[in-house]
Structures are given as C-alpha cells and as structure tokens.
Amino acid sequence: MIEVIDLKKSFGPVQAVRGVSFTAQDGHITGLLGPNGAGKSTTLRIISTVLKPGSGTVKVDGVDVVSDGNAARMGLGVLPHQSGLYPRLTARENIRYYGELNGVSGAALAQRIDELLELLEIGDFADRPAKGFSQGQKIKVALARAMVHGPKNLVLDEPTNGLDVMATRALRALIRKLKDAGHCVLFSSHVMQEVAALCDSIVIIAGGVIVARGTPDGLRKQTGESDLEEAFVKLVGTEAAA
Amino acid sequence: MNRKYFAVFFKEAIDNLRDRRTLLTVLVFGPLFGPLFYTVMMSTVINRQVADLDQSYALAVQGAENAPGLMDYLRQHNMSIEKAPADPREAVKTGKLDVVLVVPPGYAAAFSAGRPADVQLIFDKSRESAGKNIDRARDSLENYSRAVGALRLLARGVDPRAISPIVVEDADVSTPQSRAVLLLGMMPYFLLFAAILGAFYLAIDSTAGERERGSLEPLLTTAVPRRTLVLGKLSAVTLFSAVSLGIDIAALVWCQHLIPAAKVGISVDFTPSNAVATFLVCLPFCLFIAGLLSVVASFTKSYKEAQTWLSFIMLVPMVPVLGMVMFPMEPAWWMMLLPSMSQDVLVTELIKGEPLNGMFVALSVVSTLIIGGGLASLAVWLYKREQILG
C-alpha cells in the first residue's frame, strides 16, 4: 500500500506538486492520470525516493520514505521513465545486478530470475547485451529488474510509452496478473483509454493538484460524460481555467 | 552491506571491461605510451651522440695552404680537411656547412714572427644542430694554440706551467645511478599520467555516463545506501587506476634495458624491489585521483561535458611535477602534503637509488589518503543530494 499525504514539491520558483493526497491499495491498480507537466512524474519520483518531498508524507506499507528510505525501497519496485538498462550487460546480468543490490543472492536469485524471464517472456534475448534491444524488450527487462526482489508495491512511470499494440496488450495482461497476486500497482499515464482499460481507481492530476478521483464509472457520472476522454478534458480544462 | 558493495564494485569493473575504449586506455595507451615513447627517444638521442663522437669530422677550410702545421694537427685529431666553397659566408648562411675555418694569407708571416696569428671561424649560432660542430672546431683550434704556446715558452726557457696559476680539476661525485635521474627524470610524470588515464573513463562512465543513460535514477531506487554505492564505484575506479599504474611500472622495468645508457656512462638500475616500492608509494594516489575525477564528473551533466572538464582537471596533478622539473628543489616535508608532488619526490629518490625517508613516506601516504578520503566523502554527499539526477 502506498499512502501519499499532502505532498508538495517546488523546483526553484516552480511549484510542481501543490498538495497531493491519495492512497493506492493492495490488490488494486491505481492510475495517475494527467496532461504533460501535471506533476505525475514528480509525485512518482518522490514515492520512489529519488526526490525528497518539500513537505507532506509518503508511506510505503507504513514505512516513511524520508526517515527510512532503505526499508521503503525494499518494498518498492520502480519502472522509471527511461528504462535505464546497462547497454553492455545482458538482460540477465541487468536483472541480477538489481537483485544483488536489493539483497537477493545465490540460488534464490537465480531461481527468481528464471521465473521472471518466463513470466515476461524474456528467454529469447536473456543473454544478449541490452544495447540492441527494442523499446518493448527494454521495458520488459526493466520491469523484471523492478520485480526481482519481489516487492509488494510497483510504481510504473508511463510503462506503455513507445510500445506497439501487441506489447501494450501483453503488459496490460501482466499488470492484471500482478493485481490478482495482491500487488499494489501505481502507474502514470497521459492516455485516457489506457487508464480506463486497466484501473480500479483513477487519480486525475493537473497543475500539481488533484482535480478528480474515483472509479472510471464514477468519473463518467461526475462529469455527465459517457466518454472518459471527454470527462478527462472537462476535468483538466476546468482546472486550467481556474 | 558488504555483499552490495561488492555487487557494485564487480558490476562497474565487468561492465567497463567490456568497453573497448576503456580497456585500451587502461591496458595499453595509458601505461605503455610513456615508457615506449621515452625508450625510443632516449635510445635515439644516445645512439646519435655516441656515433658523433666516433665519427671523423670534415672541416671546411679556406686558405689551408697558408697553415700546413695547423692542418697536420687537425688531421691527427680525427678531422679531415676539405676545401671551402668560394663564398663561405653564404654556404654557412644557407646551412650547407655548419662551420668554415678561414686562414688569411697573412697567417704564416704572423705565426713565424711569433705574433698572434688571426684565423676566422664562420658559423651560425642560431642553428641548434650546428652547435656540436662549432664547439669541436673551436676546441681543436684552442688546443693547438695552447700546445704551440707551451712550446714557444719552453724554447725561451720558461716553464709553461707559469701561465696556468690555477688548475681546475673536476671531481664529479654523482654516481652513475644518480646520473640516471637525468635520464629517467620524466618517469614520475609517466607513472602519474598512467594512474590518471586508468581512472579516467571509468570515473566518467560511473557518474556522468550513468546519468546520461538514465540508469542512475533506477539505481537510486534500489535498497542500497548511497555510501555503499559510491564506495563500490570509487573502488572500481581505484582498481583500474592501480592496474594501469602497475602495467606502466612493469613496462618501465622492462624498457630500461632497451636504453643503451651504459654507452654514456650512466647505469639505470631500477630493480624489481624498487619497482614494488614505487607501486606502493603511488597507490594512495590512485585513490586520490579516483575521488577527484568522480567528484568533478558528478557535477557535470553529460559524458561529453565530463570529458571536457576532466581533460583539464587531469593537468592539475601535473603542475607540481612539471614545477619540480623546472625548479628542482631538495625534498622537504611540506612537499609530502601535496598528492602528486609527494609521489613525484619519492619516486625520484627511488630512481636515484637513495634510501627513502620513512617519515616522508608516512606523511605522503597519510596525507594523500586523507585528501582522497575527503574527496570520497564529498562524492557520497553529492550522491545524497537530489540534484545528482541533474
């Protein structure tokens, strides 16, 4: 479970996040939706501990990310905006490195890697250097890397960016599988259909504040629009005008 | 913590061993360029000098017929006399001849009368390469003059020693080994250069390169304390630097036999035990340079920018070394406080074959390690700031 309580963050004079609060439950897929520059990535980066909150609190399974960053990171798997694989290491080595860094080792690690290679269908290119990977292959390996230590919570920053239809579908299936296994999945997107197809609950963020939240159906009702995209435009538009 | 530290260390080492540029720099260019360049240069210089001494030397003379006695003397001293061209000044000016001796027609008369007889040496002082031949011609003439003068005094019943009230006797106490410093004076420079180049690419790759690839952000989301992360990286950089240094020293031990130093009366004896001592004395410098390069590379935004900065920073440790070449000073304790200068001084002592001052070694090691440790702490602090993501 990831709890975000009244989060604020500024970069110099720019207030990127201005008081965001939400909770992502276990066994739920929570979508963070918003236009470019809304503060989605900043929020996710604070949750994944690479940025420090200006004020407010983030708890991962009850552990504060600021006071006990290392313990919080143990419970987190993060897929950042860029996959950030090491081009000279193979897929397997990339995954193994993160396993070791997160305290998994020996036979347990080897077994876990094999499971992930199968789950994510990486087998074919597991022992090739990451340099020549396609975007889809990179995302898969980065995801395996994020999950290697078996974290309860997964934070995915625009995971379907640059993926083709087939790869996107496979990824959606995987995210549902993770949900069924009881994981807490928090992911960001600026694509409405994507969020609508996957999420149990949606948090819509614009200009650094939450403008709406609820289930896909709830949001349709709230705005009186049958099309979610129209609902989105309406919600974000009112915020921009305000 | 230990296991994670080694995971970072081995990943950085293996990852960078797969990079051809890094590998070539650490194993070949950094450590071998200096010794090879130096061996070839020194061998060429020495061989040419030795060859020149043995060579008989042709002297162009105008008016040789005016001074048959002088010509005989010159021939006896390994010079062959050639006829000078009609315009000797022009020949020297254009560089066709290094030096021309002109004996005027009045020479014989003056010589016979016991008056100073004029001869003229025509040369171009601005031409470096002619210097040796000019000196040789002048020396021969002066020797002849002295010999004839002594004979004239004897003929008048005067002891020729009367005109030499002071005799300067040269007593050079330098050992053949200490003269080797002249030869190997640049060696500390090559050693430190190899240590720096060995660290160069890995320091960039593990900081600015990591950021540019976008792999730094996910790395920072792993459950590794930043200190462990930085120390693992720094250790790998230090190792690469030390490997490059070690290869460089081994190459120098091997190359010294290729330099024909004995021909000019210099003995180069850089023994294996001296080589080991040199390595140990320079080892703290590897940590220092790893820290320095990593700290600077953490500030920069990209690989290219880091490369630009570090190319400049690389020269900084060379300033004291070059300073010592230009203004040689006796070793003093304060020099031991400066990394690179202290290693330079200590390695020079080792090449001279002088025993090392234990206090100096301790000061050098401790001060370099403290400064290196300070830089490492600074790197850890930089990694704890969120600005590290750039």
Side-chain angles (χ1 to χ4, degrees):
Chain A
M1 188 171 73
I2 299 171
E3 295 162 276
V4 177
I5 304 152
D6 196 24
L7 195 63
K8 289 182 182 146
K9 178 72 180 177
S10 309
F11 299 104
V14 182
Q15 286 186 297
V17 178
R18 304 185 289 167
V20 165
S21 305
F22 64 88
T23 302
Q25 301 285 355
D26 288 348
H28 257 66
I29 302 173
T30 307
L32 202 56
L33 183 69
N36 292 326
K40 301 186 299 286
S41 277
T42 303
T43 306
L44 293 189
R45 289 169 96 186
I46 293 171
I47 295 171
S48 60
T49 76
V50 294
L51 294 182
K52 293 185 181 78
S55 70
T57 325
V58 175
K59 285 181 180 170
V60 176
D61 293 333
V63 180
D64 189 289
V65 295
V66 175
S67 61
D68 197 357
N70 231 20
R73 284 193 286 266
M74 275 305 289
L76 272 177
V78 182
L79 181 73
H81 201 67
Q82 283 174 287
S83 61
L85 299 178
Y86 296 104
R88 293 185 294 262
L89 299 187
T90 65
R92 193 189 296 273
E93 287 167 335
N94 266 295
I95 301 168
R96 186 189 302 136
Y97 183 40
Y98 272 50
E100 286 165 349
L101 294 182
N102 283 313
V104 194
S105 61
L109 178 57
Q111 196 195 335
R112 176 74 184 151
I113 292 173
D114 285 338
E115 281 169 25
L116 287 168
L117 293 182
E118 199 182 320
L119 179 71
L120 290 158
E121 293 161 354
I122 296 173
D124 295 346
F125 52 95
D127 295 304
R128 291 215 318 255
K131 195 185 272 173
F133 286 0
S134 70
Q135 188 62 21
Q137 289 171 324
K138 280 184 190 162
I139 300 270
K140 281 181 176 180
V141 177
L143 198 56
R145 199 174 62 170
M147 292 163 58
V148 66
H149 55 298
K152 187 86 180 155
N153 308 281
L154 286 166
V155 176
L156 318 175
D157 194 358
E158 309 204 355
T160 55
N161 239 6
L163 292 188
D164 60 25
V165 181
M166 295 314 290
T168 306
R169 286 188 155 206
L171 186 65
R172 280 188 201 152
L174 178 76
I175 291 176
R176 286 206 191 90
K177 230 190 258 181
L178 291 171
K179 168 196 161 180
D180 294 339
H183 285 282
C184 162
V185 181
L186 172 64
F187 85 93
S188 73
S189 178
H190 54 88
V191 183
M192 192 72 226
Q193 292 87 327
E194 174 123 343
V195 176
L198 264 177
C199 296
D200 302 304
S201 53
I202 301 175
V203 177
I204 297 181
I205 184 169
V209 292
I210 292 175
V211 292
R213 70 179 85 211
T215 61
D217 283 339
L219 286 175
R220 282 194 197 98
K221 270 190 204 129
Q222 191 183 328
T223 53
E225 296 282 348
S226 57
D227 182 36
L228 257 183
E229 189 164 310
E230 288 301 321
F232 173 60
V233 170
K234 203 166 184 178
L235 285 163
V236 172
T238 53
E239 169 60 26
Chain B
M1 125 110 206
N2 273 345
R3 206 185 287 254
K4 291 179 180 178
Y5 163 80
F6 283 114
V8 176
F9 173 76
F10 284 120
K11 181 261 156 194
E12 291 297 349
I14 290 168
D15 190 4
N16 280 281
L17 283 178
R18 288 183 189 167
D19 183 44
R20 228 165 53 138
R21 178 174 49 177
T22 307
L23 200 62
L24 279 177
T25 308
V26 172
L27 299 182
V28 183
F29 297 144
L32 295 187
F33 172 75
L36 288 183
F37 172 76
Y38 194 60
T39 305
V40 170
M41 195 181 74
M42 282 320 293
S43 303
T44 313
V45 167
I46 289 176
N47 281 331
R48 193 189 302 153
Q49 263 179 2
V50 172
D52 282 350
L53 286 176
D54 295 339
Q55 226 171 28
S56 85
Y57 155 60
L59 179 65
V61 183
Q62 193 180 57
E65 63 283 356
N66 298 329
L70 174 58
M71 295 307 126
D72 284 345
Y73 179 86
L74 292 177
R75 280 194 200 98
Q76 278 161 23
H77 288 81
N78 215 5
M79 281 190 186
S80 63
I81 307 299
E82 282 176 1
K83 198 168 159 44
D87 188 354
R89 277 175 185 277
E90 196 54 32
V92 170
K93 231 184 226 166
T94 56
K96 234 165 74 191
L97 290 170
D98 285 341
V99 55
V100 174
L101 172 64
V102 177
V103 185
Y107 174 89
F111 190 83
S112 309
R115 293 195 312 267
D118 292 336
V119 296
Q120 201 179 16
L121 269 185
I122 302 172
F123 55 81
D124 180 353
K125 187 117 203 178
S126 65
R127 272 199 302 129
E128 286 288 335
S129 59
K132 213 163 23 176
N133 286 339
I134 298 168
D135 288 348
R136 224 168 140 184
R138 189 201 298 277
D139 286 351
S140 300
L141 290 171
E142 275 168 8
N143 285 342
Y144 179 68
S145 171
R146 214 171 300 130
V148 172
L151 283 173
R152 283 180 182 168
L153 287 174
L154 272 177
R156 286 167 176 75
V158 180
D159 186 341
R161 281 179 295 182
I163 59 164
S164 304
I166 291 180
V167 177
V168 180
E169 196 179 313
D170 288 342
D172 187 356
V173 295
S174 69
T175 62
Q177 221 177 24
S178 71
R179 255 173 277 150
V181 169
L182 295 173
L183 217 79
L184 291 175
M186 291 295 276
M187 198 173 106
Y189 178 86
F190 291 136
L191 291 182
L192 300 184
F193 188 70
I196 294 174
L197 263 188
F200 189 74
Y201 284 114
L202 185 48
I204 298 179
D205 188 80
S206 62
T207 49
E210 182 115 61
R211 182 180 317 130
E212 192 169 327
R213 279 193 302 265
S215 55
L216 185 59
E217 186 168 331
L219 183 63
L220 296 182
T221 65
T222 57
V224 182
R226 303 279 164 98
R227 193 168 55 93
T228 308
L229 208 55
V230 175
L231 291 185
K233 284 167 179 287
L234 271 180
S235 306
V237 179
T238 308
L239 173 76
F240 273 44
S241 170
V243 166
S244 186
L245 174 70
I247 296 175
D248 190 77
I249 292 176
L252 278 167
V253 170
W254 181 67
C255 280
Q256 60 173 332
H257 302 298
L258 301 179
I259 301 178
K263 281 192 191 168
V264 285
I266 292 175
S267 102
V268 183
D269 193 15
F270 192 56
T271 60
S273 65
N274 270 354
V276 172
T278 301
F279 181 71
L280 294 178
V281 159
C282 290
L283 208 48
F285 181 77
C286 295
L287 173 70
F288 163 77
I289 202 68
L292 180 64
L293 296 186
S294 297
V295 164
V296 175
S298 326
F299 279 116
T300 54
K301 296 248 182 295
S302 69
Y303 204 101
K304 269 264 165 59
E305 196 190 339
Q307 224 167 350
T308 310
W309 272 99
L310 292 195
S311 308
F312 175 71
I313 293 287
M314 260 176 88
L315 299 177
V316 173
M318 293 304 167
V319 171
V321 178
L322 295 178
M324 287 295 278
V325 172
M326 283 186 285
F327 310 102
M329 284 177 279
E330 279 299 301
W333 66 269
W334 60 265
M335 296 177 185
M336 295 302 124
L337 302 181
L338 291 173
S340 90
M341 187 177 224
S342 69
Q343 283 81 19
D344 176 44
V345 170
L346 293 175
V347 171
T348 305
E349 295 293 293
L350 277 169
I351 299 169
K352 278 194 211 166
E354 312 242 338
L356 283 185
N357 180 327
M359 203 261 291
F360 277 14
V361 176
L363 259 181
S364 162
V365 169
V366 169
S367 68
T368 307
L369 285 181
I370 287 178
I371 297 173
L375 288 166
S377 314
L378 182 58
V380 172
W381 180 76
L382 286 171
Y383 265 78
K384 284 185 176 165
R385 304 182 322 154
E386 61 188 34
Q387 285 93 323
I388 190 70
L389 289 172

